[in-house]
Amino acid sequence: MSRVLDGDAAVAAFPLGGIGTGNVSVGARGELRDWELANAPDKGASLPFTCFAIRVARDGAEAVTRVLEGRLRPPHEGDQGYDAGRLAGLPRLARSRMRGEYPLLWVDLADPLLGAEVTLTAFTPLVPLDADASGLPGAVLRYTVKNIGDAPADVTVVGSMANPVGIARRNVFNFPEFEGHPRNDWVDDGVVCGIRFGTDLGEHDLRFGSAALATTDRDVTAKPQWLSGFWQDGVQVFWDDLCEDGRLEPETVQTLDPPPRPEWFTRLRVGSLGIAARLEPGAERDFEFLLTWHFPNRARAWQGNIGLDNAGAADVVRNHYATRFADAWAVARHLAQELPSLEAATRTFHRALHGGTLPPEVVDAAAANLAVLRSTTCFRLEGGVFAAWEGSFAHAGSCEGTCTHVWNYAQSAAFLFPELERSARETEFLRETRPDGRMNFRANSVFGNAPWDFHPAVDGQLGAVVRLYREWRFGAGDAWLAELYPAARRALDFAFAEWDADGDGVLDSKQHNTYDIEFFGPNSLANSMFAAALHAGARMAERLGEDADAERFGAAARRCAERMDALLYNGEYYEQRIDDVDEHRYQYGTGCLSDQLLGQQLAHVAGLGHVLPPDHVRSAIGAVWKYNFREDLSAHHSVQRTYALGDEAGLLLCTWPRGGRPRIPFVYSDEVWTGIEYQVATHLIYEGLTDEGLRIVRAVRDRHDGRRRSPWNEAECGNHYARSLASWGPVLALSGVDYDAPSATLTIRPRLAAPVVRAVFTAGHGWGEAEVGPDGAALVLHGGSLDLARLVVEHPSLGRLEATGVALRAGQAFTAFPLPAPTTPPEEK
Amino acid sequence: MSRVLDGDAAVAAFPLGGIGTGNVSVGARGELRDWELANAPDKGASLPFTCFAIRVARDGAEAVTRVLEGRLRPPHEGDQGYDAGRLAGLPRLARSRMRGEYPLLWVDLADPLLGAEVTLTAFTPLVPLDADASGLPGAVLRYTVKNIGDAPADVTVVGSMANPVGIARRNVFNFPEFEGHPRNDWVDDGVVCGIRFGTDLGEHDLRFGSAALATTDRDVTAKPQWLSGFWQDGVQVFWDDLCEDGRLEPETVQTLDPPPRPEWFTRLRVGSLGIAARLEPGAERDFEFLLTWHFPNRARAWQGNIGLDNAGAADVVRNHYATRFADAWAVARHLAQELPSLEAATRTFHRALHGGTLPPEVVDAAAANLAVLRSTTCFRLEGGVFAAWEGSFAHAGSCEGTCTHVWNYAQSAAFLFPELERSARETEFLRETRPDGRMNFRANSVFGNAPWDFHPAVDGQLGAVVRLYREWRFGAGDAWLAELYPAARRALDFAFAEWDADGDGVLDSKQHNTYDIEFFGPNSLANSMFAAALHAGARMAERLGEDADAERFGAAARRCAERMDALLYNGEYYEQRIDDVDEHRYQYGTGCLSDQLLGQQLAHVAGLGHVLPPDHVRSAIGAVWKYNFREDLSAHHSVQRTYALGDEAGLLLCTWPRGGRPRIPFVYSDEVWTGIEYQVATHLIYEGLTDEGLRIVRAVRDRHDGRRRSPWNEAECGNHYARSLASWGPVLALSGVDYDAPSATLTIRPRLAAPVVRAVFTAGHGWGEAEVGPDGAALVLHGGSLDLARLVVEHPSLGRLEATGVALRAGQAFTAFPLPAPTTPPEEK
């Protein structure tokens, strides 16, 4: 699904940047916005004077110089109008059109006066199953300029950028103030040339870092450092210089301001890199820039709002990417050198994801939310340790510690970058699960700080067991499983001891959970998860030869399911069983909880199948759809946080169709969370209620249309909220591709009623496209390798197709079934 | 001119509050926004859970409960969606329509489901010539509800408000954190009843204060303090309580959260005051609330961004209003008791201003910018000392010290609240003018801190002399003049010594000015001001019997004008004369400066007439119009701050129609400032170029349409920027009402070509309406008194009409000329 947005889509922001690197985003006018390079969220942060511009001088005509952005749209408010750093008083282009299909972005820019058409192509490489290749702190910004006039034209495209290293705060004029002294240097190493943005801060300083604006083009013109000063000398001289002849002159002095210069004299250092070329009529040329950055140091503590121990905060710890690259220049050089292969893989993934036949809303949701993994919400520390917030507040992380009960919903990383989820399981089971099996649901071990002492989270802890199973089944290996399993067993046993007061196999004690309150008594959230976790435990135990465990957990799983069904199923859906729903605040009682079958949904995704009676499951998830999905929220009453409103559609967390709403129900019950919408949609599809599932996905994405909210940011408690990573679920459910590494089996059972189901898939160490058509099925592998003992296709008309011993390498296709290899549509530009 | 705005006018914010009191504003959806009660700007600040709501229960139908606001419009972005305090998940009304005619605001609210129509009338009393009556820290919020159904209905209107006292910061969830412990109390003193919001902070604490939500209505229902707690218990119980029966029950406990409560346990205290009544079909009733506040203490220092001495910052100084009222409850009681007279005067002024025949854009501009005087930009300290910033940054004052060269442009206060400008002149001449005549152009004496040591400002210092004359001429009295005159003489003499290097009577040295740089050589800004100041000095000296001064200044004025004309007039307009325009940065040379005749414009307004050759003046101001006004700025190049852009029209500060633009011209030269637009428009009208003047005023106001920018906030370096108070100039110029207190003469010479010119006027101690029609003229006095020796009407067709000995008291009209008293249009609602 292509997000085509005009320049009035004011809140659309397409993030560039890799896993754990921070971001800069591109807005609907083609502008760079939201500079979040330095290990912290900073929505709305601008870099003064930082933009691209173009000068077109057609032979015989006056040159036209413009900022390479669509025009600014109202409102134009600001306490100083637009501050000088925004360059709002320079002319821009009449039309812009953004087309975002994560991870690729295009922005078309045009103006009747320009005599040229421009398309910006922007991306950060994304290669499935390769977190390093997908974790580059940088982006490609490629301006393709076509001379649409009838005369040759001299064209200069120039990027200007303020040195972003050391920014400590912004003053009332919105100008950054720096620690250390930024400096700009011209560098040409034969591979790339451009401006290296550095600092005199020490390399262990928290704000130490570098950035680069570079190119492999050799037709360059540059002003590596503008004049600096109290007023706008620098930008005035730069702009006049550009307008005059399209060539930039280096400045010979740093400032025109005479000494003595006050202590607060600006440290802002802006530089410009241009590419200049002559274009014949009708000719087209790329003007390609590489923007990279390198902020190696994080404080060795979360310093988050939950208040985990921050003892290490005075030290720094390095980002994983900083162990791979010495500085931003090295990133730029690497990006330049590897760009052909990185771009090819990125474009192939893009085509596989966006060019298949899955419904566009599903592709849009899955693709757009991959940005979470490459947002400020997630990071990797030296050694590759994955850690994440729940989301990102505007200027700080939200809710630290890779929260188990929020990350419970996430599926994207598990199937696209499994090493990240494996790292999270290692943290949870090897470092955050105590001897008695209680798991700290927020991890502080990633920083080596003291563990968090709080209630255990019933859903997060048990979900982690299911996810351990998922990771193992996707290819983490038996040795890995064997290392983590003992803690998983403790975690399961802890559940009996902690939460099953009456020993009936159904959890019923005080149960803290993802709604940030405690449920009391038997309830569907905890027990559907318990059933799934026990099943997962039994399977893992069986594999590891822990037969006693296997039998015990298997029996407990059956008992839990049976008793939960007996206790909680009301003939239509699963409730919470509690005598007086108002004895404790924040319960749901007879309510229809959207998450009532979260454990079952996780079980489906993890390949465990039904852990509860299928007919009851189908009825219950249907009830969630029936009662909790609202086509219009104009008359909805909620005093809670608001993620959907007015004429928007959305799925409520809970409703009380049979009455019995508590006086004070749980504190998010009237809200709408995209993560839950996706898990419910996924579940509906698994149960055959595909249309209903798709309707929910469309509702989410309609709310994120670039005018209401950014398509690339689904917020909950924070931007780029982790729970939205449940959006990979519908891809899995619809394509029906299921990989079982232990048995080396790939099964394809499409749940989309379409003549051809062609979709991206991942499987352990390989990824590609799977296609099921009227006459058969086929696989093509785009990356990695795939060694299958069995390939099974549950074909809608042909029945079960099986092949054995299928081994594919990147570029190879399996065509033994009577179907040609997947067809790849012509690439969109 | 009525500003009629639908709910999508997202940036429209109509400020309530009096002179020097701070504000709360009303947005286009009828919502309360921008809570700036506590002596500092705080744009965007919200108070959680603070809104009005309505419940309508028609007999036989289900009750409908709604937040009394139009629906929220996109974008809906926020890092947590809408935080809970915004109550965005509660239903609102389908339609809202804001009509703002400062100082009165109406918001119509309607919804097909409601069965009632609601109009909010909101205002803070504004009485010309009475800064105290116009300086109440509070507002009236009157909801007029009409039952449009065919059955009787029980209607409750309820205001809820969080205690705003002691807010120190906001946490990541956008909830305020408090110093001290806020407390809410129910008070009923027989006059008003309602909720008093207090604190346990000491009365000298900077954040000490109080607020009140009260009513004179006796049909009240209230929940003075909601349940408080970690989650939303309070709002859930409140909303359910309201929905249930439209009656509120006081809570019996403070919180349901069990002990122990953490140190950071919320101190938020919300209370609700409702008015409940039964309305028969077709019946209409007012539900009137008084919202008042009282934050007595300011730090005894500017603590601004310019860096004046802040030695007194640890002490506090009281606001003037705090010397009149003990607390917010006393304000509410006063407002309730005086409301009939205060409202009558406010409405009369509103009708006189908005109901006359001046062009709507002129009235709109003049009225809307009165908000500056009642914004955070201005304040009054104990003793009535007026002080002001240049403007208001979003969260701090901008550019402290009642800057002489910015306030130079302001006319509104001088003619509506002359005691404010008199106070400013007293500060400037009695406390900020040094023995050698150098005036500190930013006043620190208002706080008793050390004077500012910086360049003197040529335009500000000399403009202050003209304004001294203006204040005296408007009625400050000879004794007052005598006290200030010696310093004015020193200030004038200083100009010869400091700025006239070659002694030729034209200023030519290094001249700091309102563009925050120094001009070198003879220039039109400084010398037009010098000529005006010398004329003013001569007149004042003459009155005081300082004959030598009078002769000296008079001769110097003539010499300055003659030599300036000879040196700077280029046959079309006045330039800067400088050999090498690039020898110093930031000059204008041959440029056409919009402010080239600022001194002449001030002279016109102050009744000094032409101080430069009239034909040259007319040509020059015509050139400003011709070259500097742009109908469309899409192709304008400016690297400076931006106040007008794209398809907007505006007047540039300077252009170079004859070439000669400096390499680096003065740093604001490509900008558009409303204050200069108004002064140029005023001048154009004085010179007979009325259409051109009006076109400029329309351009300004078209840019402030509620979608691009708020109609009630013209920003420059800060919101509510003082220079925009030049907007009273066109009222003076068009109506042609000129009051000369020393001669007790009122002259009316309309410059608007219209059959009837009817306009508000002020004159010393009285105000009213003046009307000139085809058959004659008339005056009606609405407030104060007017004792004229002579009344002169320069009638466009009848010639000069004169009357002597005209004495009017409020409510009286002068009808000796053959015209009935001014007709007052029926009041708009």
Side-chain angles (χ1 to χ4, degrees), chain A residues 79 233 257 394 585-586 708 718, chain B residues 76 79 233 257 394 585-586 718:
Chain A
D79 61 6
D233 300 2
D257 283 13
R585 286 173 294 171
Y586 315 136
R708 298 164 181 266
Chain B
H76 298 306
D79 61 6
D233 300 1
D257 282 14
R585 287 172 293 171
Y586 315 136

Side-chain angles (χ1 to χ4, degrees), chain A residues 103 126 128 345-353 370 416 728 760 767:
Chain A
L126 190 154
T346 303
R347 287 184 178 272
T348 302
F349 171 65
H350 165 262
R351 278 196 304 274
L353 179 54
L370 292 179
L416 282 170
W728 200 255
V760 67
W767 65 277

Side-chain angles (χ1 to χ4, degrees), chain A residues 628-639:
Chain A
N628 294 7
F629 184 75
R630 299 289 162 86
E631 286 288 351
D632 184 301
L633 291 160
S634 299
H636 178 55
H637 289 238
S638 166
V639 298

